[in-house]
Amino acid sequence: MGVEERVKILIVGPSKTGKTCLANYLSNFKDTPTPNYKETIALRIMDFEPEGLNFPGKSIRVVVELWDVSGNHSYQACWAACAQGAHGVIYVFNIDEQKSQLGELEFWHKTFATQKGVLGPQTPNIKDEHSLVFAHRSTPPQGNIKTAKPRLTGKMDGIKCVATSLDYAAETNWKSDFDKLVTNIVIAQRQEEENALLNSGMDGIPVQASR
């Protein structure tokens, strides 16, 4: 019988960047399209089983909890609950507004990945390899000019940044980057669980005094 691993991933970033559309796509949630922007109230939680994950020699059922966090700072009171127990974070910004949004993206990273933000010690310890940045485009590019994908700096320079779009051809298969993110988190969780079992077993072994 296979084992089950639950993975909690936050999707955060400025308002009106396409976080909810991306969350719907990743979770295969069918939503009714609307031409008007609809703000996420506080957060949405979507449970789903991603397809195509591969763990050689192991049968693992993976359930992803995707927490779509509103970009409105007025919901800051719920951020601590959102961050609790998170295994990964996806930061989203509008690639066509990168000059104004990269600074805010650093705020979201500081809040959810370091203990120097508003959450302080409640901030989860999330490694760079368990994070992604989605440079999202929801409007058609101007002509044949491609907007350059930004180079992340400072505390975010170790996080992979990928271009995403639901309506226009993206430069990379960003869905596979998401699958790899989930896979890496599951492997890390399994390793932690195995180490914990080994350590608990060692606790019962008497230590022979040296002579």
Side-chain angles (χ1 to χ4, degrees):
M1 180 181 293
V3 298
E4 177 179 302
E5 291 285 353
R6 297 192 68 88
V7 175
K8 178 178 177 179
I9 298 177
L10 311 179
I11 181 164
V12 302
S15 296
K16 301 182 180 181
T17 53
K19 298 187 298 295
T20 295
C21 291
L22 289 166
N24 288 344
Y25 178 81
L26 291 171
S27 61
N28 292 317
F29 177 76
K30 306 300 182 184
D31 194 14
T32 302
T34 174
N36 301 319
Y37 170 72
K38 184 178 180 181
E39 179 181 331
T40 297
I41 306 300
L43 69 116
R44 299 162 66 242
I45 304 174
M46 313 181 78
D47 281 21
F48 63 99
E49 297 182 37
E51 300 177 354
L53 303 185
N54 185 28
F55 303 95
K58 297 181 180 180
S59 176
I60 302 176
R61 174 175 177 258
V62 179
V63 178
V64 173
E65 294 179 17
L66 194 59
W67 289 51
D68 174 18
V69 181
S70 172
N72 190 327
H73 290 214
S74 64
Y75 299 113
Q76 183 174 318
C78 74
W79 289 356
C82 294
Q84 185 177 13
H87 303 106
V89 182
I90 298 173
Y91 305 92
V92 182
F93 73 99
N94 184 338
I95 194 171
D96 294 319
E97 301 290 339
Q98 58 181 280
K99 288 184 179 180
S100 61
Q101 292 190 352
L102 284 180
E104 187 173 354
L105 205 66
E106 292 177 359
F107 164 82
W108 288 98
H109 177 262
K110 183 178 180 180
T111 299
F112 285 96
T114 76
Q115 295 189 346
K116 296 180 180 180
V118 296
L119 301 182
Q122 299 180 78
T123 308
N125 181 24
I126 297 177
K127 302 176 181 179
D128 287 350
E129 55 264 34
H130 295 164
S131 303
L132 281 173
V133 173
F134 283 172
H136 189 58
R137 168 173 280 126
S138 56
T139 57
Q142 298 299 317
N144 294 322
I145 300 176
K146 294 183 178 180
T147 305
K149 188 170 60 178
R151 180 181 181 276
L152 302 176
T153 59
K155 297 292 186 179
M156 300 187 73
D157 63 354
I159 302 176
K160 184 175 183 179
C161 180
V162 296
T164 65
S165 178
L166 299 178
D167 302 308
Y168 310 99
E171 297 176 13
T172 59
N173 181 5
W174 57 272
K175 176 61 168 58
S176 68
D177 289 301
F178 174 78
D179 291 343
K180 185 176 180 179
L181 172 69
V182 175
T183 300
N184 288 342
I185 292 173
V186 171
I187 291 173
Q189 285 185 192
R190 297 290 296 167
Q191 188 63 55
E192 289 180 5
E193 292 165 4
E194 291 174 4
N195 290 341
L197 286 174
L198 287 173
N199 291 334
S200 64
M202 292 295 291
D203 290 341
I205 299 177
V207 178
Q208 183 177 2
S210 59
R211 295 180 180 179

